Protein backbone atom coordinates (compact mmCIF):
# COMPACT_ATOMS: atom_id res chain seq x y z
CA UNK A 1 0.00 0.00 0.00
CA UNK A 2 2.89 2.34 0.77
CA UNK A 3 4.30 1.71 -2.71
CA UNK A 4 0.95 2.56 -4.33
CA UNK A 5 0.80 5.72 -2.26
CA UNK A 6 4.26 6.88 -3.31
CA UNK A 7 3.69 6.20 -7.01
CA UNK A 8 0.22 7.75 -7.27
CA UNK A 9 0.36 11.21 -8.84
CA UNK A 10 -0.47 14.27 -6.80
CA UNK A 11 -3.93 15.54 -7.63
CA UNK A 12 -3.86 19.01 -9.21
CA UNK A 13 -6.80 21.37 -9.12
CA UNK A 14 -7.94 23.62 -11.94
CA UNK A 15 -6.20 26.80 -10.64
CA UNK A 16 -2.88 24.98 -10.38
CA UNK A 17 -3.28 23.46 -13.85
CA UNK A 18 -4.22 26.87 -15.22
CA UNK A 19 -1.05 28.38 -13.82
CA UNK A 20 0.96 25.39 -14.99
CA UNK A 21 -0.09 25.96 -18.61
CA UNK A 22 1.68 29.31 -18.42
CA UNK A 23 4.67 28.47 -16.20
CA UNK A 24 5.32 24.77 -16.89
CA UNK A 25 3.42 23.81 -20.06
CA UNK A 26 5.30 20.57 -20.76
CA UNK A 27 4.86 19.10 -17.26
CA UNK A 28 1.25 20.26 -17.08
CA UNK A 29 0.24 18.84 -20.46
CA UNK A 30 2.04 15.60 -19.67
CA UNK A 31 0.10 15.33 -16.41
CA UNK A 32 -3.18 16.05 -18.22
CA UNK A 33 -2.40 13.43 -20.85
CA UNK A 34 -1.51 10.72 -18.37
CA UNK A 35 -3.64 11.36 -15.29
CA UNK A 36 -6.46 13.80 -16.11
CA UNK A 37 -7.91 12.67 -19.43
CA UNK A 38 -11.41 13.93 -18.56
CA UNK A 39 -10.34 17.27 -17.08
CA UNK A 40 -11.36 19.16 -20.20
CA UNK A 41 -14.69 20.64 -19.10
CA UNK A 42 -13.41 23.40 -16.71
CA UNK A 43 -11.21 25.03 -19.37
CA UNK A 44 -13.90 24.39 -21.99
CA UNK A 45 -16.47 26.28 -19.90
CA UNK A 46 -14.03 29.13 -19.27
CA UNK A 47 -13.13 29.37 -22.96
CA UNK A 48 -16.78 29.34 -24.06
CA UNK A 49 -17.59 32.16 -21.65
CA UNK A 50 -14.65 34.29 -22.73
CA UNK A 51 -15.44 33.57 -26.37
CA UNK A 52 -18.95 34.95 -25.98
CA UNK A 53 -18.14 38.02 -23.88
CA UNK A 54 -16.65 40.01 -26.81
CA UNK A 55 -20.00 39.64 -28.61
CA UNK A 56 -21.86 41.11 -25.63
CA UNK A 57 -19.29 43.88 -25.30
CA UNK A 58 -19.48 44.68 -29.02
CA UNK A 59 -23.28 44.93 -29.02
CA UNK A 60 -23.28 47.30 -26.04
CA UNK A 61 -20.32 49.41 -27.23
CA UNK A 62 -20.76 53.08 -28.08
CA UNK A 63 -19.59 52.58 -31.66
CA UNK A 64 -22.06 49.75 -32.26
CA UNK A 65 -24.93 51.74 -30.78
CA UNK A 66 -24.12 54.69 -33.04
CA UNK A 67 -24.01 52.42 -36.08
CA UNK A 68 -27.29 50.78 -35.03
CA UNK A 69 -28.94 54.19 -34.65
CA UNK A 70 -27.79 55.22 -38.14
CA UNK A 71 -29.09 51.98 -39.66
CA UNK A 72 -32.38 52.40 -37.79
CA UNK A 73 -32.87 55.86 -39.30
CA UNK A 74 -32.24 54.51 -42.80
CA UNK A 75 -34.67 51.67 -42.22
CA UNK A 76 -37.35 54.07 -40.97
CA UNK A 77 -37.04 56.11 -44.14
CA UNK A 78 -37.46 52.98 -46.25
CA UNK A 79 -40.44 51.83 -44.18
CA UNK A 80 -42.10 55.23 -44.56
CA UNK A 81 -41.59 55.05 -48.33
CA UNK A 82 -43.21 51.61 -48.29
CA UNK A 83 -46.22 53.08 -46.46
CA UNK A 84 -45.88 51.06 -43.26
CA UNK A 85 -47.83 52.25 -40.26
CA UNK A 86 -46.16 53.38 -37.03
CA UNK A 87 -47.18 50.11 -35.35
CA UNK A 88 -45.68 48.00 -38.15
CA UNK A 89 -42.47 50.04 -38.02
CA UNK A 90 -42.24 49.53 -34.25
CA UNK A 91 -42.71 45.77 -34.65
CA UNK A 92 -39.96 45.51 -37.26
CA UNK A 93 -37.61 47.69 -35.23
CA UNK A 94 -38.22 45.57 -32.16
CA UNK A 95 -37.45 42.43 -34.15
CA UNK A 96 -34.22 43.73 -35.69
CA UNK A 97 -32.89 45.07 -32.36
CA UNK A 98 -34.01 42.12 -30.25
CA UNK A 99 -31.31 40.65 -27.96
CA UNK A 100 -32.26 37.27 -29.39
CA UNK A 101 -30.95 38.41 -32.78
CA UNK A 102 -28.03 40.56 -31.65
CA UNK A 103 -26.67 38.49 -28.74
CA UNK A 104 -28.23 35.06 -28.20
CA UNK A 105 -28.03 33.64 -31.72
CA UNK A 106 -24.45 34.91 -32.40
CA UNK A 107 -23.32 33.61 -28.99
CA UNK A 108 -24.87 30.19 -29.55
CA UNK A 109 -23.40 30.04 -33.03
CA UNK A 110 -19.93 30.85 -31.77
CA UNK A 111 -20.21 28.38 -28.89
CA UNK A 112 -21.34 25.54 -31.14
CA UNK A 113 -18.66 26.43 -33.65
CA UNK A 114 -16.07 26.28 -30.88
CA UNK A 115 -17.16 22.80 -29.81
CA UNK A 116 -17.17 21.55 -33.39
CA UNK A 117 -13.75 23.10 -33.90
CA UNK A 118 -12.32 21.20 -30.93
CA UNK A 119 -13.74 17.93 -32.22
CA UNK A 120 -12.35 18.52 -35.71
CA UNK A 121 -8.93 19.50 -34.38
CA UNK A 122 -8.78 16.52 -32.04
CA UNK A 123 -9.95 14.12 -34.74
CA UNK A 124 -7.43 15.40 -37.28
CA UNK A 125 -4.52 15.32 -34.83
CA UNK A 126 -5.48 11.88 -33.54
CA UNK A 127 -5.86 10.26 -36.97
CA UNK A 128 -2.74 11.88 -38.39
CA UNK A 129 -0.78 11.00 -35.24
CA UNK A 130 -1.81 7.35 -35.48
CA UNK A 131 -0.86 7.34 -39.17
CA UNK A 132 2.63 8.52 -38.20
CA UNK A 133 3.02 5.75 -35.65
CA UNK A 134 1.87 7.62 -32.56
CA UNK A 135 -0.04 6.29 -29.59
CA UNK A 136 -2.68 7.64 -27.25
CA UNK A 137 -6.45 7.91 -27.39
CA UNK A 138 -8.88 10.38 -28.90
CA UNK A 139 -9.94 11.46 -25.40
CA UNK A 140 -6.36 12.35 -24.49
CA UNK A 141 -5.92 14.38 -27.66
CA UNK A 142 -9.26 16.14 -27.16
CA UNK A 143 -8.28 17.15 -23.61
CA UNK A 144 -4.97 18.52 -24.87
CA UNK A 145 -6.70 20.48 -27.65
CA UNK A 146 -9.10 22.14 -25.21
CA UNK A 147 -6.34 23.13 -22.80
CA UNK A 148 -4.20 24.42 -25.66
CA UNK A 149 -7.04 26.81 -26.54
CA UNK A 150 -6.65 28.78 -23.30
CA UNK A 151 -4.47 31.51 -24.90
CA UNK A 152 -7.36 32.26 -27.24
CA UNK A 153 -9.61 32.62 -24.19
CA UNK A 154 -7.16 35.20 -22.87
CA UNK A 155 -7.46 37.01 -26.19
CA UNK A 156 -11.24 37.08 -25.77
CA UNK A 157 -10.85 38.52 -22.27
CA UNK A 158 -8.50 41.27 -23.47
CA UNK A 159 -10.81 42.09 -26.37
CA UNK A 160 -13.74 42.39 -23.99
CA UNK A 161 -11.81 44.71 -21.69
CA UNK A 162 -10.71 46.86 -24.63
CA UNK A 163 -14.24 47.20 -26.04
CA UNK A 164 -15.76 48.05 -22.66
CA UNK A 165 -12.96 50.52 -21.86
CA UNK A 166 -12.91 52.36 -25.20
CA UNK A 167 -16.40 51.81 -26.56
CA UNK A 168 -14.79 50.96 -29.91
CA UNK A 169 -15.05 47.75 -31.92
CA UNK A 170 -12.02 45.74 -32.99
CA UNK A 171 -12.06 46.21 -36.76
CA UNK A 172 -8.57 44.94 -37.60
CA UNK A 173 -7.83 41.81 -35.55
CA UNK A 174 -4.44 40.15 -35.70
CA UNK A 175 -2.28 41.27 -38.59
CA UNK A 176 -5.18 42.18 -40.88
CA UNK A 177 -4.37 45.88 -40.54
CA UNK A 178 -1.27 45.28 -42.65
CA UNK A 179 -3.45 44.79 -45.74
CA UNK A 180 -6.08 47.52 -45.53
CA UNK A 181 -8.53 49.14 -43.17
CA UNK A 182 -11.80 47.31 -42.61
CA UNK A 183 -14.36 47.52 -45.41
CA UNK A 184 -17.94 48.62 -44.93
CA UNK A 185 -20.80 47.00 -46.81
CA UNK A 186 -21.04 50.06 -49.05
CA UNK A 187 -17.34 49.84 -49.91
CA UNK A 188 -17.69 46.16 -50.77
CA UNK A 189 -20.62 46.88 -53.07
CA UNK A 190 -19.33 50.04 -54.78
CA UNK A 191 -15.59 49.40 -54.88
CA UNK A 192 -15.01 45.74 -54.04
CA UNK A 193 -11.44 44.70 -53.20
CA UNK A 194 -9.68 41.94 -55.05
CA UNK A 195 -10.51 38.38 -54.02
CA UNK A 196 -6.92 37.69 -53.03
CA UNK A 197 -6.89 40.80 -50.88
CA UNK A 198 -10.00 39.70 -49.00
CA UNK A 199 -8.63 36.20 -48.45
CA UNK A 200 -5.26 37.55 -47.33
CA UNK A 201 -6.90 39.97 -44.90
CA UNK A 202 -9.03 37.17 -43.45
CA UNK A 203 -5.95 34.98 -43.06
CA UNK A 204 -3.88 37.69 -41.39
CA UNK A 205 -6.78 38.44 -39.06
CA UNK A 206 -6.36 34.99 -37.55
CA UNK A 207 -2.64 35.35 -36.88
CA UNK A 208 -1.53 36.89 -33.61
CA UNK A 209 0.51 36.15 -30.49
CA UNK A 210 -2.28 34.06 -28.97
CA UNK A 211 -2.49 31.80 -32.02
CA UNK A 212 1.27 31.15 -31.91
CA UNK A 213 1.07 30.43 -28.19
CA UNK A 214 -1.80 28.01 -28.76
CA UNK A 215 0.05 26.20 -31.54
CA UNK A 216 3.12 25.83 -29.33
CA UNK A 217 0.97 24.24 -26.63
CA UNK A 218 -0.55 21.93 -29.24
CA UNK A 219 2.91 20.84 -30.39
CA UNK A 220 3.88 20.02 -26.80
CA UNK A 221 0.57 18.29 -26.15
CA UNK A 222 0.76 16.18 -29.31
CA UNK A 223 4.31 15.17 -28.45
CA UNK A 224 3.51 13.98 -24.91
CA UNK A 225 0.21 12.34 -25.91
CA UNK A 226 1.16 10.49 -29.10
CA UNK A 227 4.83 9.88 -28.14
CA UNK A 228 5.89 11.32 -31.49
CA UNK A 229 9.15 13.22 -31.83
CA UNK A 230 9.13 16.98 -31.47
CA UNK A 231 9.87 17.37 -35.18
CA UNK A 232 6.91 15.19 -36.21
CA UNK A 233 4.67 16.95 -33.70
CA UNK A 234 5.56 20.34 -35.18
CA UNK A 235 4.95 19.12 -38.74
CA UNK A 236 1.67 17.47 -37.75
CA UNK A 237 0.31 20.51 -35.89
CA UNK A 238 1.29 22.99 -38.58
CA UNK A 239 -0.13 20.75 -41.32
CA UNK A 240 -3.49 20.45 -39.52
CA UNK A 241 -3.58 24.21 -38.92
CA UNK A 242 -2.85 24.95 -42.58
CA UNK A 243 -5.52 22.50 -43.74
CA UNK A 244 -8.25 23.70 -41.37
CA UNK A 245 -7.40 27.35 -41.95
CA UNK A 246 -7.61 26.86 -45.71
CA UNK A 247 -11.03 25.24 -45.33
CA UNK A 248 -12.23 28.08 -43.09
CA UNK A 249 -11.21 30.63 -45.75
CA UNK A 250 -13.54 29.12 -48.36
CA UNK A 251 -16.54 31.30 -47.31
CA UNK A 252 -14.33 34.39 -47.62
CA UNK A 253 -13.28 33.25 -51.08
CA UNK A 254 -16.87 32.89 -52.24
CA UNK A 255 -17.77 36.24 -50.68
CA UNK A 256 -14.92 37.87 -52.58
CA UNK A 257 -16.08 36.32 -55.84
CA UNK A 258 -19.63 37.50 -55.15
CA UNK A 259 -18.64 41.10 -54.49
CA UNK A 260 -16.29 41.07 -57.47
CA UNK A 261 -19.18 40.05 -59.70
CA UNK A 262 -21.32 42.81 -58.20
CA UNK A 263 -18.61 45.36 -58.92
CA UNK A 264 -18.20 44.08 -62.48
CA UNK A 265 -21.95 44.33 -63.19
CA UNK A 266 -22.67 47.49 -65.22
Amino acid sequence: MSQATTTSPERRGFPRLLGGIVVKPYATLKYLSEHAKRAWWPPALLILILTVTPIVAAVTSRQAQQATAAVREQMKEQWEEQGLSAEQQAQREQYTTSPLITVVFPSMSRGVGQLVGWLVWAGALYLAGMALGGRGTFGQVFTIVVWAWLPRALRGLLQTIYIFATGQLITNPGLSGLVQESWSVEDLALNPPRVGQMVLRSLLGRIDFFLIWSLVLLVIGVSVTTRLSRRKSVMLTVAVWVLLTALSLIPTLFSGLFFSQMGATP
Side-chain angles (χ1 to χ4, degrees):
M1 181 177 294
S2 60
Q3 183 178 1
T5 304
T6 57
T7 57
S8 61
E10 180 184 0
R11 184 177 179 82
R12 305 182 189 181
F14 178 64
R16 183 179 176 184
L17 292 171
L18 195 62
I21 285 292
V22 179
V23 180
K24 298 180 179 180
Y26 180 85
T28 302
L29 291 172
K30 186 175 179 62
Y31 170 85
L32 288 168
S33 175
E34 295 178 352
H35 307 294
K37 303 178 184 64
R38 298 181 181 179
W40 57 267
W41 68 266
L45 181 60
L46 177 63
I47 294 169
L48 290 175
I49 292 174
L50 295 180
T51 299
V52 168
T53 50
I55 297 178
V56 180
V59 171
T60 58
S61 66
R62 182 175 64 255
Q63 185 178 0
Q65 290 177 352
Q66 292 173 351
T68 301
V71 172
R72 188 182 297 120
E73 291 299 324
Q74 294 179 359
M75 293 173 61
K76 284 184 177 180
E77 293 178 0
Q78 294 178 0
W79 292 338
E80 290 176 357
E81 292 177 358
Q82 296 173 4
L84 298 181
S85 64
E87 183 180 355
Q88 290 175 325
Q89 293 183 26
Q91 290 178 351
R92 290 197 178 187
E93 182 177 350
Q94 183 179 5
Y95 173 77
T96 55
T97 59
S98 170
L100 188 67
I101 302 298
T102 59
V103 177
V104 177
F105 284 165
S107 299
M108 291 179 59
S109 176
R110 181 168 293 188
V112 172
Q114 185 66 83
L115 292 173
V116 173
W118 287 333
L119 290 171
V120 172
W121 262 96
L125 289 174
Y126 172 72
L127 293 176
M130 296 304 101
L132 293 176
R135 287 179 264 175
T137 65
F138 175 81
Q140 289 177 306
V141 178
F142 181 80
T143 299
I144 292 300
V145 167
V146 174
W147 279 89
W149 236 256
L150 281 171
R152 309 190 192 202
L154 178 59
R155 175 176 58 192
L157 175 61
L158 295 178
Q159 288 177 343
T160 303
I161 294 174
Y162 171 83
I163 295 172
F164 275 131
T166 64
Q168 301 295 315
L169 301 176
I170 300 175
T171 56
N172 293 304
L175 302 178
S176 60
L178 298 176
V179 179
Q180 185 177 333
E181 294 295 327
S182 59
W183 301 295
S184 65
V185 177
E186 295 180 356
D187 294 334
L188 291 173
L190 299 177
N191 187 23
R194 295 188 300 272
V195 176
Q197 193 176 13
M198 291 185 65
V199 173
L200 178 60
R201 186 178 185 280
S202 180
L203 172 62
L204 293 177
R206 305 162 190 263
I207 300 176
D208 56 16
F209 166 76
F210 302 101
L211 170 67
I212 303 301
W213 185 4
S214 180
L215 291 178
V216 170
L217 292 178
L218 279 174
V219 169
I220 298 173
V222 168
S223 177
V224 300
T225 301
T226 64
R227 307 295 193 274
L228 292 173
S229 65
R230 186 62 57 87
R231 178 172 173 271
K232 287 185 177 181
S233 299
V234 171
M235 293 176 57
L236 174 59
T237 304
V238 172
V240 171
W241 177 77
V242 170
L243 174 62
L244 297 182
T245 301
L247 292 175
S248 67
L249 290 174
I250 292 178
T252 304
L253 175 63
F254 283 111
S255 297
L257 294 173
F258 172 75
F259 284 111
S260 296
Q261 291 294 327
M262 286 183 58
T265 301

